[in-house]
Amino acid sequence: MEQEEVRDLREALRQSPDNIPLRRYLAETLVRLGRKAEAEEEYRIALQMAPGDMALNLGLAQVFYDQGKHTEGLVLVEALLEADRPHPRAWLLYARLLLTQQQGAEARTAYEKALIADPGLADIVLEAELNRQAPREADKVRLHAQPGSDDDEEAYVSVERPGITFEAVGGMESLKDEIRLKIIHPLRHPEVYKAYGKKIGGGILLYGPPGCGKTYLARATAGETQSGFIPVGINEILDMYLGQSERNLHAIFELARQHKPCVLFFDEVDALGANRSDMRQSAGRHLINQFLAEMDGVDSDNEGVLILAATNAPWHLDPAFRRPGRFDRILFVPPPDEASRREILEILLRDKPQEGLDLPLIARQTADFSGADLRALVELAIEAKISEALKQGIPTPITTRDLQAALKKCRPSTREWFLTAKNYALFANEAGLYDDILKYLNIKR
């Protein structure tokens, strides 16, 4: 029926080729059927006869956007916005096009202009992407702001809205179950937890070798719960001025409290919460005391604030952080197992030219490789193929042999970490904190 409709419309246009409304209807029908290139051609023909027609111009710009021709779309929409009274949909499309150029602030302005002209154009999907790229002033906090400072490079921490969930995380099933119990279930079934007087919140410390997906897992946790996500690094906290680091930390916790439920993620937390017994300067101790007070919610309510932290060196973290109500769940994030390595390789090689890849074989041969190590392996193989293509003048697909050749140049970065971790697990493990390391290494105490 759809093919017949298009055929009938084309036949009608043969009889009346200058009928602009009919040609526009054909273009709109082709868009509806997913035949964007044909629709573009019809819009172009119609615009030759009526170059100032707003509906035709908007239709062509939308087709440009749908086909990924963002530069062409921007040029056309910017011309439409020069009119005295631009169409509200032109502002909406302009916002979408600006987002493709990573111009979040400008996109938010365009979207707000579209809504002022026509509130019915509200788009929750677009708003979510705007919040991710360009948070509102209420969704971010300014840091390192000294009185009278003229520094143009002030730091901001903002609330993100991750779009990934646990489905995007290969393996780690036991870790996911722990996070579900501690974070996800309390948010989805608050009445059950309240019935038992259990607060919604608390902290989980993720530790393990670098490059094994701790940060990615934290983002997926926020996406799984549809919560806000605030990633915090040491550069956002530490400040040279006395007392400013503590103020920065407090401001970040306050931002999380204002956007409950919210996942507050501290990367390299051992740099912020190092063991106070190892410190000579009082400034570091004051920062740790502030951190502990914020986690306890001494002067504020932390219910709904979910704290995740990652570290490669949990043995350097002050023991006070492991008390109940703080990081009372400490989870080991090991290198991906064989099944997970295969899944990671599939993702890394997706959309790459390939032929006869034996990924199960490569997965078996990459024991102890982290996700970052696997990425480096694939990058080495690709670089070799590019060099070969430049010499021969013909690009060729990636094969199993190419990956194995790259494998000879790669070594798992996790092994060095395990050499250090094993010593702590054997000789500084009175509470059984590092038993998971021994289990992974098949060492019996």
Side-chain angles (χ1 to χ4, degrees):
M1 291 294 293
E2 294 174 344
Q3 299 295 335
E4 292 177 2
E5 181 181 7
V6 172
R7 187 175 63 246
D8 291 344
L9 286 170
R10 290 195 186 282
E11 180 59 34
L13 278 171
R14 274 194 287 271
Q15 302 297 325
S16 181
D18 297 331
N19 189 327
I20 295 174
L22 183 61
R23 194 169 294 277
R24 188 181 74 188
Y25 182 70
L26 171 59
E28 292 169 350
T29 301
L30 291 168
V31 169
R32 177 166 50 83
L33 297 177
R35 295 159 64 171
K36 305 297 176 63
E38 295 177 59
E40 177 186 336
E41 180 62 25
E42 296 300 333
Y43 276 124
R44 288 182 181 276
I45 294 172
L47 282 167
Q48 289 176 1
M49 296 180 282
D53 190 298
M54 178 63 72
L56 291 175
N57 278 288
L58 274 174
L60 180 58
Q62 182 66 52
V63 167
F64 282 149
Y65 173 78
D66 293 341
Q67 295 180 99
K69 297 180 178 181
H70 300 143
T71 302
E72 293 93 327
L74 278 168
V75 170
L76 180 53
V77 172
E78 286 172 352
L80 296 177
L81 294 175
E82 292 176 0
D84 292 335
R85 297 181 62 183
H87 196 286
R89 289 190 178 277
W91 284 115
L92 185 68
L93 184 55
Y94 191 45
R96 293 195 176 106
L97 287 162
L98 287 171
L99 279 178
T100 67
Q101 310 300 307
Q102 305 299 311
Q103 298 181 46
E106 294 85 350
R108 178 172 290 285
T109 300
Y111 179 64
E112 290 172 351
K113 288 182 178 180
L115 294 188
I116 291 172
D118 184 356
L121 294 178
D123 185 329
I124 59 173
V125 175
L126 178 58
E127 286 179 13
E129 182 62 18
L130 285 169
N131 288 335
R132 189 184 69 80
Q133 279 200 31
R136 296 183 178 89
E137 290 299 319
D139 293 342
K140 62 184 180 181
V141 63
R142 186 181 184 185
L143 305 176
H144 302 203
Q146 298 302 317
S149 172
D150 294 326
D151 189 359
D152 292 332
E153 296 183 359
E154 300 288 359
Y156 288 88
V157 169
S158 58
V159 181
E160 300 177 9
R161 302 286 171 179
I164 61 171
T165 64
F166 281 170
E167 290 183 4
V169 180
M172 301 188 183
E173 294 306 323
S174 62
L175 293 171
K176 293 176 188 175
D177 288 340
E178 290 278 0
I179 292 173
R180 287 188 183 102
L181 181 65
K182 180 72 177 180
I183 291 179
I184 296 172
H185 292 329
L187 287 174
R188 291 182 175 173
H189 309 285
E191 67 287 348
V192 176
Y193 283 74
K194 288 181 180 178
Y196 289 93
K198 180 72 172 174
K199 287 188 175 182
I200 300 174
I204 292 178
L205 177 65
L206 305 172
Y207 79 94
C212 289
K214 295 184 286 292
T215 303
Y216 195 70
L217 182 62
R219 287 185 182 277
T221 299
E224 191 78 15
T225 57
Q226 297 183 341
S227 303
F229 180 73
I230 305 177
V232 185
I234 58 174
N235 59 306
E236 278 99 14
I237 299 292
L238 299 182
D239 195 283
M240 62 182 289
Y241 294 96
L242 187 65
Q244 185 62 39
S245 297
E246 291 90 327
R247 286 191 285 271
N248 288 341
L249 187 62
H250 176 70
I252 290 170
F253 268 90
E254 281 298 302
L255 183 64
R257 292 173 186 128
Q258 293 165 12
H259 291 81
K260 301 176 184 178
C262 187
V263 174
L264 190 53
F265 176 67
F266 291 90
D267 200 7
E268 299 180 0
V269 70
D270 53 291
L272 296 173
N275 198 320
R276 284 170 290 185
S277 63
D278 298 333
M279 293 183 176
R280 295 182 180 180
Q281 297 181 347
S282 61
R285 295 192 187 97
H286 290 323
L287 178 59
I288 293 172
N289 291 337
Q290 180 72 34
F291 201 163
L292 295 170
E294 296 292 347
M295 291 189 73
D296 291 340
V298 173
D299 299 318
S300 306
D301 181 12
N302 278 350
E303 183 159 5
V305 177
L306 316 163
I307 303 170
L308 290 178
T311 177
N312 300 330
W315 36 83
H316 292 158
L317 195 66
D318 193 284
F321 282 98
R322 298 198 292 269
R323 292 176 187 168
R326 295 169 183 170
F327 293 125
D328 44 16
R329 293 287 178 90
I330 301 177
L331 306 179
F332 175 53
V333 183
D337 58 20
E338 185 177 318
S340 299
R341 292 197 298 273
R342 177 180 176 178
E343 187 175 342
I344 292 170
L345 286 168
E346 288 175 350
I347 293 171
L348 293 173
L349 289 161
R350 188 177 297 160
D351 301 327
K352 306 288 192 303
Q354 53 186 273
E355 183 179 4
L357 286 181
D358 188 352
L359 293 185
L361 173 64
I362 302 299
R364 287 195 299 273
Q365 295 177 344
T366 50
D368 296 332
F369 273 57
S370 68
D373 293 334
L374 293 171
R375 180 179 293 278
L377 171 69
V378 171
E379 289 299 320
L380 271 176
I382 290 173
E383 287 172 8
K385 297 302 291 185
I386 292 174
S387 177
E388 180 184 315
L390 290 174
K391 290 177 182 178
Q392 298 181 358
I394 303 174
T396 56
I398 301 168
T399 65
T400 303
R401 184 175 296 179
D402 296 319
L403 292 174
Q404 289 179 316
L407 188 55
K408 294 178 181 178
K409 303 175 184 178
C410 291
R411 294 291 181 270
S413 62
T414 64
R415 288 178 182 167
E416 183 178 350
W417 183 88
F418 276 111
L419 287 174
T420 302
K422 183 174 71 171
N423 291 330
Y424 282 96
L426 286 172
F427 307 115
N429 193 25
E430 294 83 1
L433 184 63
Y434 309 125
D435 283 352
D436 286 335
I437 295 175
L438 296 176
K439 183 179 178 181
Y440 181 84
L441 295 173
N442 293 318
I443 297 175
K444 294 183 180 180
R445 298 181 65 185

